[in-house]
Amino acid sequence: MTSDALSNLLHEDRRFPPDPEFAAQANATEALYEEARADRLAFWDRQARELLSWEAEWSHVLDWSNPPFAKWFVGGRLNVAYNCVDRHVEAGHGDRVAIYWEGEPGDSRTLTYADLQGEVSRAANALISLGVGHGDRVAIYMPMIPEVAISMLACARIGAIHSVVFGGFSAEALRSRIDDAQAKLVITADGGYRRGKPASLKPAVDEAVAASPSVEKVLVVQRTEQDVDWDEGRDVWWHDVVSAQPAEHAPEAFDSEDTLYILYTSGTTGKPKGIKHTCAGYLLQTAYTHRNVFDLKPESDVYWCTADVGWVTGHSYLVYGPMANGATQVMYEGTPDYPEPGRWWDIVEKYGVTILYTAPTAIRTFMKQGEEIPGRRDLSSLRVLGSVGEPINPEAWIWYRQVIGSGRTPIVDTWWQTETGAIMISPLPGVTSAKPGSAQVPLPGIVADVVDDAGNVVPDGHGGYLVLPEPWPAMLRTIWGDDQRFIDTYWSRFPGRYFAGDGAKKDEEGDIWLLGRVDDVMNVSGHRISTTEVESALVSHPKVAEAAVVGASDPTTGQGIVAFVILRADAGEGGDQVAAELRDHVAKEIGPIAKPRQILAVPELPKTRSGKIMRRLLRDVAENREMGDVTTLADPTVMNMISSGLASGS
Ligand code: 6R9
């Protein structure tokens, strides 16, 4: 964020106190903060008893005797899928809709909790028949269809560990994740619909699995009926294997600390980190936050989280949190603008959506399209609006509330990460007086602070780094297979405290404003992509000698990827053709979301004497700003070379 944008943000002084009518019916109250402050672990103990069903009680709420390796609800036993599905049926809510699924071409399916119980049980039986058991890893590479949630819950039900890989990732990205987790099974589909066309998934799986000796079977859902290559010994159709199974399966209870899933996220080095989450604490915090932050009333609300299930938001707020709470939700397969820009608002109207959870990048895209498009639909059912993925600028916040929320809905700006597992900092609707652009306060039971370079807590009115000084139930337990990297990445910068990688400021009232990443992780449309990951994709191309990548601020996507490359001498002239070739290469290596917005061929890169690329200066170039201090460069003339080269259009 530029310093101008920052000072604008901190001059934002509009306030939106809770509507008394909303407050009177809200799940959350001020008393929650007091209860958690008085005794944090007793607070979580009560939440665990009230929100989840256990087979065996825990002996301790938290074991923090070996930090940073936490254990929550020590000795407790439960089954995550039973909590998300069966218990709602047993409580008499089998007829309640769990999923209103909307396919992009306009087809739809409705699954009740009773339907879901049958489907998850069948899938669990099928996984067992394919040789999958407790602790085995299952990679899931699927479009947004009900089977993706069913697959995740089926894994949870039998104690297998899922690793969902975003369907937009490349074969190579899938392969490296399969390899890191040594997955035994891959669940996929022939393809899914995107922008009116069937996109394929199976070919990427074929390519990835060909190089993955750990994979024994590939289970394939037929969604688009496109032609697929078939390996008779390895591939099985969902409609053959799952549909033939009995719809009963007795869930077994697992230890609180058994692994629920691995989800890979970008770090500051090229190699993605497998974030490990465990069963009980994770499920508890997703359920608790979903209930209080969105004010969920399971009997009457229709909730819609627009995230893809391949991201953590899809895990925590499409599958585990809402389902643990017995929510009715919408799941949509496709893009927001197909067949036309009002598609989302049609869906809100069609299903009477009451709670909408989406990302600032989507809101800014809708702002550009204008008020008329949502204005033509009836959005009066909406009563809570959520935002996640990046800081929401006050203008987008106000637009969201005025245009989508008819000027009356609370907005919850929720800060959290793949690593935190669940929402950590957010206003509570009906309780908090909202400030546009600020996530404001740690939730009851959560502790967060802002510290300076030396690790001292900054006074109100000052900025620094966001840290989490106390363990929380949904925290990552480690990086899969790499405890040392877990310690180094998160717990070394400020020993004893979790460092989130985000800059933040406390205003004069102590409210927290998130200011974006302080490391080399970019945030493009709410997706985390590391500069190193894109750089290593670029240098893997034969025409590239060296590459430096920066995230430049972008009015729609938050940040856009700008790459500076030094071409090899024999690469010929730079120009548009090479840029296009390199962009396609990055898409192939990582996925289309990582395609640089711009690729600039330069003669040199700015480096310090110790050889570190000074991305700050490249960011100045990418954002058309006057250059900052160049005195620490090994060769101070480099920036002139870059600027004049760019001005002359090379
Ligand atoms: C849930 C999710 C995490 C990073 C995080 C931060 C940014 C997320 C935010 C936010 C400001 C918010 N971020 N929510 N920044 N305000 N409400 O997005 O997880 O993909 O791991 O990204 O996203 O920079 O560190 P993940």
Side-chain angles (χ1 to χ4, degrees), residues 265 311-313 387-392 413-419 439 500 502 514 516-517 523 526-528:
T265 188
W311 308 108
V312 74
T313 306
S387 172
V388 61
E390 56 174 314
I392 178 166
D413 174 5
T414 61
W415 180 88
W416 59 294
Q417 308 176 297
T418 306
E419 293 87 342
D502 281 22
L514 276 308
R517 307 283 309 186
N523 189 327
H527 299 148
R528 273 166 70 170

Side-chain angles (χ1 to χ4, degrees), residues 422-503:
I423 300 171
M424 303 291 281
I425 305 178
S426 168
L428 283 176
V431 179
T432 316
S433 186
K435 298 178 180 177
S438 170
Q440 295 185 283
V441 271
L443 291 175
I446 300 299
V447 187
D449 225 323
V450 180
V451 299
D452 63 18
D453 257 318
N456 300 313
V457 173
V458 302
D460 290 349
H462 289 74
Y465 306 98
L466 186 73
V467 295
L468 305 170
E470 298 288 345
W472 60 101
M475 68 194 281
L476 77 165
R477 297 304 195 258
T478 190
I479 293 174
W480 183 257
D482 202 343
D483 287 348
Q484 192 56 46
R485 190 174 178 200
F486 169 61
I487 296 169
D488 294 344
T489 308
Y490 303 106
W491 304 89
S492 307
R493 177 72 178 79
F494 302 106
R497 286 172 288 186
Y498 172 91
F499 172 44
D502 281 22

